[in-house]
Amino acid sequence: MGNELNRRSFLGAAVSAAGLVAMGPLLSGCGGSAAQRAGVNSGAGLQAALPAHVPNTAIKPDFPSVAGGPDVLTKPGFLGYPADRVATVSGVPGKGGRYSAVTPLWGTIPPADNAFYQAMNSALGVELQMKPADGNTYNTIVSTMTAAKKLPDWIQLPAWWNANFNTGGLAGNQLADLTPFLSGDNVKKYPNLAAIPTAAWRAGAWGDKLYGIPCVSSGFEITGTVFYRRDVLEAKGITADQVKSADDLMNLGKELTDAKAGVWAFGDVWTYLFTTFGAPLKWRVDNGKLVHRYETEEFLAALDWHHRLATAGYVHPDALAGDSAGTTRFYAGKALITGDGMGAWNLADHQAGRAANPNYRRGAFNVIAADGKSTPRVDMGPSTSIISYLNANLKREQIEELLSVANYLAAPFGSAEYTMVNFGVEGTHFTMVDGVPTPTEAGKKEVQALTYPFLASPPAVISNPTGDTVTRDYTSWQNANVKALAKPVFWSMNVSMPQAQATADAAQAVEDTIKDCYHGKKKVQDVKDAIATWKSSGGGDRLIAWTNDNVLQKYGTGQ
């Protein structure tokens, strides 16, 4: 299962890496008027551009999705790989066209023109030249292509690099407008694309037109949550439902910390906990006024609590020192509560944890309100941050051919097409072992990396073959917390802003001071001083005014 574990682990990490960038508006620094025109979507215009949603019922999960509200949907769970690999595409989708495709790759690049690529071309009916590029330098590689106006026919542009790529400026210029092909009922020509939730298409929409094809989408996207060593805490008689407030967590800090034994209650939790105090993820609107999180009392209250947590001695010293090996401490039982992205909850984690301690079991606290009284809420992010685009120079019939290919690539989990895309040819690239597609040596070499799923893929599922406990725990937690998900201000609106505002939005000096505060090295007053400087001379006030005038007043909140 090596290639599947790596694939799943990476996808979780990739989505989490988008983190706070993805959770707020997808920012793109730009200077020209064309880029500005390709920016924010209006409510009515976006509604007209987005594809219809027709769920795929070909394969039944063990744990069906649960809706939590508009655009909020848990990931379905599968305890095993579907035995009946249903075919969802009849015939060969392509018509013999020849195209190039570039995707980022964090791993070993497979040999060019390998047997897997050849088999895929036969299945797709096109000659698709796959050219994976080093993910570590992908932002500079793509920028060079766009500067020279030499994009491939099909390219993956992760949303967390929108500012680097100036994706809003490329839309309609170097990237093809897919609105005529996919808007509304037009998408029904491509049933597997129609099965992608409508919300996911927003990530690739710019200026009320649709450009991107979503990959690895989900209706349950959050920055992450607060995890705990379920095996350790339950052995002490502590269960997740007992933790209902920030005071409960502080008390746990005191109860669980034993510095002499080398055990501390907490690792870093700030990123995943500060909004429980009522602070917005980035923006909120009070009586029609746009307010940045730095301006809220709730944000300062969250800082004060985290500062007290650190100075009380409840946070592992290495976490306070900025050592990023938090997972190792978690496995070793040296830090029992930690924040992380949802991608951390998977089979690879389960196996690594069990290697360190046979009783290891990851758990997650329910979403709480810090005061223990308010309604719990967690801000949701875009349904995907992984989006592919087609070249604007393609002819209409070429776009239609590639969309047919995308429809094949987006076949649901466990289908015949999904198995081919993700595991290759049975007997050559994988064999079934205990009902699980398991790679051969050829499969490890040729199919190990994410390539085709970065062009198009079905909505994400929860599947951890041989790790049923993980799937049951994760799906159960989702179901218990789906009602807490809520759209933040400017949710998935793809805001393109001038470079000066993009720099102010990053607020690096403030963020550095915030980190020092929740690590106990600086006080809340130091953060207040940094915010005051940011507002007056760091572009903060101008950022707030620009966002109010150019986004809120013209397009609303996106909620």
Side-chain angles (χ1 to χ4, degrees):
M1 278 306 290
N3 69 330
E4 177 64 6
L5 295 184
N6 291 339
R7 179 177 297 113
R8 188 178 292 109
S9 299
F10 169 73
L11 283 180
V15 174
S16 297
L20 292 178
V21 174
M23 297 291 280
L26 300 179
L27 302 178
S28 179
C30 57
S33 59
Q36 293 286 359
R37 286 197 301 272
V40 188
N41 299 297
S42 67
L46 185 62
Q47 188 66 29
L50 293 176
H53 179 223
V54 183
N56 194 316
T57 59
I59 297 177
K60 304 294 184 182
D62 296 291
F63 303 103
S65 295
V66 174
D71 301 316
V72 182
L73 192 69
T74 65
K75 299 174 187 175
F78 290 82
L79 292 175
Y81 199 79
D84 184 12
R85 290 175 239 158
V86 176
T88 64
V89 176
S90 60
V92 177
K95 299 179 179 179
R98 181 176 180 179
Y99 306 98
S100 58
V102 173
T103 59
L105 172 60
W106 288 268
T108 304
I109 296 178
D113 196 31
N114 61 65
F116 172 57
Y117 288 173
Q118 293 174 16
M120 281 296 297
N121 283 343
S122 295
L124 297 174
V126 297
E127 184 177 339
L128 191 58
Q129 296 176 317
M130 299 299 297
K131 300 178 180 180
D134 185 354
N136 295 312
T137 56
Y138 195 70
N139 57 332
T140 58
I141 292 171
V142 173
S143 296
T144 301
M145 292 181 185
T146 58
K149 295 186 177 181
K150 293 184 177 180
L151 286 177
D153 298 310
W154 202 345
I155 190 166
Q156 168 61 224
L157 299 181
W160 58 85
W161 277 323
N162 275 343
N164 298 77
F165 300 150
N166 185 20
T167 309
L170 298 175
N173 180 7
Q174 296 187 45
L175 307 177
D177 178 6
L178 303 181
T179 314
F181 305 91
L182 298 175
S183 63
D185 288 344
N186 291 320
V187 76
K188 293 181 180 179
K189 181 179 178 180
Y190 313 100
N192 289 329
L193 294 181
I196 297 173
T198 302
W201 294 94
R202 293 174 62 119
W206 300 86
D208 293 342
K209 292 184 179 181
L210 182 65
Y211 295 92
I213 300 170
C215 309
V216 201
S217 58
S218 167
F220 195 109
E221 281 304 323
I222 58 176
T223 302
T225 196
V226 179
F227 294 101
Y228 67 100
R229 280 292 300 270
R230 180 168 175 173
D231 54 312
V232 176
L233 269 65
E234 287 189 347
K236 296 177 180 291
I238 302 169
T239 57
D241 59 1
Q242 295 172 320
V243 178
K244 300 178 180 179
S245 69
D247 285 345
D248 291 339
L249 285 172
M250 188 68 76
N251 291 334
L252 269 183
K254 183 177 181 179
E255 180 176 351
L256 298 174
T257 298
D258 186 350
K260 291 182 179 180
V263 177
W264 284 263
F266 290 90
D268 267 331
V269 292
W270 163 262
T271 301
Y272 312 95
L273 198 58
F274 78 86
T275 58
T276 66
F277 288 78
L281 195 60
K282 180 64 70 69
W283 304 100
R284 79 178 180 205
V285 177
D286 289 341
N287 298 318
K289 179 184 178 183
L290 185 64
V291 179
H292 192 278
R293 64 178 177 180
Y294 293 165
E295 301 177 293
T296 68
E297 290 300 320
E298 294 89 344
F299 185 80
L300 297 175
L303 268 174
D304 176 69
W305 185 90
H306 282 81
H307 179 81
R308 288 189 285 114
L309 187 76
T311 55
Y314 302 153
V315 182
H316 196 288
D318 290 346
L320 297 179
D323 186 330
S324 60
T327 302
T328 301
R329 295 188 288 271
F330 191 63
Y331 291 157
K334 300 301 183 183
L336 303 177
I337 301 171
T338 189
D340 211 336
M342 299 310 301
W345 210 349
N346 59 26
L347 181 60
D349 169 79
H350 180 72
Q351 293 173 329
R354 288 290 176 95
N357 185 320
N359 297 318
Y360 174 84
R361 188 176 181 182
R362 180 182 288 268
F365 293 118
N366 288 328
V367 178
I368 64 170
D371 63 7
K373 301 175 183 178
S374 304
T375 301
R377 169 195 166 109
V378 59
D379 286 324
M380 57 189 284
S383 291
T384 186
S385 296
I386 307 174
I387 309 112
S388 72
Y389 296 84
L390 302 183
N391 195 305
N393 292 326
L394 292 171
K395 298 177 182 178
R396 180 181 181 86
E397 58 269 24
Q398 292 176 311
I399 291 175
E400 290 177 333
E401 184 174 28
L402 287 180
L403 289 177
S404 294
V405 169
N407 182 65
Y408 182 104
L409 300 180
F413 175 83
S415 64
E417 298 86 3
Y418 180 95
T419 305
M420 177 66 182
V421 170
N422 287 272
F423 300 102
V425 179
E426 186 169 8
T428 300
H429 298 108
F430 77 93
T431 57
M432 297 299 290
V433 178
D434 296 328
V436 179
T438 304
T440 62
E441 289 303 313
K444 293 177 183 177
K445 184 178 180 181
E446 299 176 359
V447 196
Q448 64 180 351
L450 277 160
T451 47
Y452 296 96
F454 267 12
L455 297 177
S457 49
V461 304
I462 298 174
S463 175
N464 302 280
T466 73
D468 288 359
T469 297
V470 182
T471 299
R472 292 181 188 278
D473 287 351
Y474 191 172
T475 54
S476 177
W477 182 87
Q478 276 193 137
N479 293 350
N481 289 276
V482 66
K483 295 289 186 181
L485 268 66
K487 298 175 183 176
V489 172
F490 306 141
W491 178 70
S492 198
M493 284 178 65
N494 279 355
V495 178
S496 294
M497 60 174 56
Q499 189 59 54
Q501 276 66 45
T503 300
D505 184 75
Q508 195 59 57
V510 179
E511 291 298 314
D512 289 343
T513 308
I514 288 170
K515 186 174 183 179
D516 284 342
C517 182
Y518 66 73
H519 280 167
K521 299 174 184 177
K522 291 187 177 179
K523 298 180 179 180
V524 174
Q525 185 59 51
D526 295 318
V527 177
K528 291 181 178 180
D529 294 341
I531 291 173
T533 300
W534 169 78
K535 285 174 60 67
S536 62
S537 58
D541 283 339
R542 291 190 295 275
L543 166 67
I544 296 167
W546 185 93
T547 308
N548 176 74
D549 296 344
N550 293 278
V551 185
L552 179 63
Q553 299 305 324
K554 292 182 179 179
Y555 303 103
T557 66
Q559 296 168 302

